[in-house]
Amino acid sequence: MRSPPETSELDTPSRILMGPGPSMIHPRVLRAMSTQALGYMDPSFLEIMDDIQELLRYTFQTDNEWTLATSGTGTAAMETAIGNLLEPGETMLVRTTAYWGDRMAQMARRVGGDVASLDVSPTEPLDPADVREAFEAHDVDVFGICHADTTTGIRQPNMSELVDIAREHDAYTIADCVTSLSGVPVHVDDWGVDVAYGSPQKCLSSTPGATPLTINERAREKIEARDSDPASWYLDLNLLMEYWGDERNYHHTPPTTPYYGLREALRLVAEEGLENRWERHRRVAGELKAGLEDMGLEMAAAEEHWLPSLNTVRVPDGVDDTAVIQFLMDEYDIEIASGLGELDGEIWRIGCMGYSARRQNVACLLTAMQDALEAQGFDVDEAAIEA
Ligand SMILES: Cc1ncc(COP(=O)(O)O)c(C=O)c1O
């Protein structure tokens, strides 16, 4: 017999989470998540699902009937969107040069789709002229857009314009709102996007595992009329909606605790009000940005595309980005992150999301950052004077 391993009771360090996600969980969400489990057909649990759907419609600003939580992370919601909307042999247009666009492209290929590449710079927002050109060059069925790019800290403007281009070509649009939902304005119905998904662990400050997803009537009709079933049984929306809709047929056992957490997180959004919440993210992240710039640091994203929930900051010459990250963690218990892919070593990624988006966290991070930079020999005062 194998003997049991030696472990101790869970005792995690107390971190301030200012990275690209997860953000810190709101205390009310933590309390909701310590609630006892219910059966998946318990009328009380079904009421919780109804509440989640109604609160999500508010948060996405949509009337979509097919609005639900995916049992999985943002990647599962992305895969649900693509795996249901795109049929084998159809073409998906995405910016393959960008981190999330590349992930969408991989998923599209796995479900038997073709990929049309928008081969444009990943560090600028999509230009409607490039998108129009790509639609003219390819017969596109589904267009994937990342609204808030967690790798570059860029917010995509012109969402309605991009969606309109797709509509003019009879194509459907999927919007990745993982890093924007409830942190910066998201208007699913006004934009006209057909499918959108978010994240529970970013600006909503809940736990991963129950991910917001919404599908409009147009996309629903396409999905209901598919020639073949989606390759994934687990993520098949026609089956899933038999549980989320009036039929209430068992599909899978939902992750109870993340559902409780999501419901409470969404209640907090409704209490604060979306406009106030967007304004808070902007104000608190604005203080962060101003403080960093005062130290002589430079933001990587242009002011007009700045994404308050995810701030990208250039690593100054001569400074070791990972040493700074480690210093913040060791000396101040603060998490920030390095750049991904080509931006590794070039930028830091500093999140300002949900319950983490508070002035006290920003004040602490600015002090810690100054200390970390000075430990690296970067003269903060000199740089600030030069800046
Ligand atoms: C823009 C974007 N899309 C998708 C994902 C994937 O989400 P998850 O890590 O929850 O699977 C992330 C994760 O950070 C993201 O930032």
Side-chain angles (χ1 to χ4, degrees):
M1 282 258 302
R2 201 180 159 99
S3 351
E6 292 266 335
T7 52
S8 55
E9 198 178 326
L10 191 65
D11 180 21
T12 57
S14 156
R15 306 271 197 232
I16 298 176
L17 298 179
M18 301 288 282
S23 63
M24 297 169 82
I25 301 178
H26 193 286
R28 259 176 56 188
V29 174
L30 283 174
R31 284 200 292 279
M33 290 198 300
S34 60
T35 303
Q36 186 54 261
L38 287 170
Y40 53 81
M41 284 299 177
D42 188 311
S44 298
F45 191 74
L46 299 177
E47 255 177 54
I48 288 170
M49 292 171 65
D50 287 342
D51 290 345
I52 290 176
Q53 286 184 295
E54 219 23 46
L55 288 160
L56 277 179
R57 289 186 186 110
Y58 169 66
T59 309
F60 274 122
Q61 288 292 291
T62 184
D63 293 330
N64 290 344
E65 195 186 324
W66 273 23
T67 299
L68 69 155
T70 316
S71 297
T73 70
T75 306
M78 189 191 277
E79 201 142 29
T80 307
I82 296 171
N84 282 271
L85 201 55
L86 190 73
E87 291 196 59
E90 290 187 337
T91 300
M92 181 156 180
L93 176 71
V94 277
R95 170 159 50 179
T96 43
T97 46
Y99 190 89
W100 305 108
D102 176 58
R103 186 174 290 194
M104 283 183 172
Q106 292 181 46
M107 288 178 182
R109 288 193 191 97
R110 284 183 185 221
V111 298
D114 295 321
V115 172
S117 302
L118 257 171
D119 192 6
V120 292
S121 163
T123 53
E124 294 292 330
L126 285 178
D127 182 339
D130 292 332
V131 173
R132 200 172 281 286
E133 201 177 294
F135 266 98
E136 267 143 37
H138 306 275
D139 189 9
V140 175
D141 300 285
V142 177
F143 175 35
I145 313 176
C146 185
H147 176 231
D149 192 323
T150 329
T151 48
T152 58
I154 285 180
R155 171 155 48 142
Q156 177 65 49
N158 326 316
M159 288 295 286
S160 307
E161 193 180 345
L162 297 179
V163 172
D164 286 349
I165 298 171
R167 292 234 173 177
E168 283 162 28
H169 292 81
D170 283 331
Y172 295 77
T173 306
I174 296 174
D176 180 319
C177 299
V178 160
T179 302
S180 47
L181 189 66
S182 95
V184 299
V186 168
H187 298 280
V188 165
D189 285 2
D190 285 355
W191 290 343
V193 297
D194 298 293
V195 180
Y197 53 88
S199 165
Q201 77 266 16
K202 299 210 189 237
C203 298
L204 288 172
S205 278
S206 185
T207 190
T211 299
L213 174 67
T214 189
I215 298 104
N216 70 8
E217 279 304 306
R218 184 170 173 257
R220 172 183 174 169
E221 280 165 20
K222 180 177 190 317
I223 293 167
E224 284 179 337
R226 283 179 62 107
D227 287 337
S228 58
D229 289 332
S232 165
W233 190 93
Y234 188 66
L235 302 178
D236 181 336
L237 278 169
N238 284 321
L239 297 179
L240 272 168
M241 290 315 299
E242 287 181 18
Y243 179 43
W244 281 90
D246 293 339
E247 286 119 307
R248 296 297 191 194
N249 282 342
Y250 162 75
H251 179 266
H252 66 273
T253 310
T256 324
T257 309
Y259 276 40
Y260 293 164
L262 179 61
R263 178 179 177 277
E264 195 60 19
L266 293 168
R267 273 168 40 80
L268 283 158
V269 174
E271 277 173 30
E272 186 174 3
L274 273 174
E275 284 103 332
N276 293 336
R277 199 174 173 94
W278 298 333
E279 197 278 326
R280 170 168 60 88
H281 278 81
R282 213 180 155 77
R283 180 169 31 85
V284 176
E287 286 178 17
L288 169 70
K289 185 156 94 66
L292 293 168
E293 284 170 342
D294 282 349
M295 276 181 221
L297 296 174
E298 195 193 334
M299 304 298 289
E303 174 67 27
E304 62 273 30
H305 310 130
W306 169 54
L307 175 62
S309 46
L310 198 282
N311 301 271
T312 46
V313 186
R314 288 195 201 289
V315 178
D317 285 345
V319 170
D320 177 345
D321 66 315
T322 50
V324 168
I325 292 171
Q326 197 61 50
F327 185 96
L328 296 182
M329 182 72 95
D330 294 344
E331 303 295 325
Y332 287 88
D333 264 318
I334 300 182
E335 178 184 271
I336 67 162
S338 55
L340 271 185
E342 279 179 25
L343 293 171
D344 187 20
E346 301 292 317
I347 57 165
W348 288 296
R349 295 183 299 147
I350 307 180
C352 198
M353 304 175 181
Y355 188 62
S356 290
R358 283 176 299 145
R359 297 186 77 185
Q360 68 206 70
N361 292 341
V362 167
C364 185
L365 175 59
L366 289 173
T367 304
M369 197 69 180
Q370 173 155 357
D371 208 1
L373 288 170
E374 282 172 353
Q376 283 281 303
F378 180 79
D379 193 334
V380 171
D381 288 341
E382 284 273 303
I385 293 163
E386 280 166 27

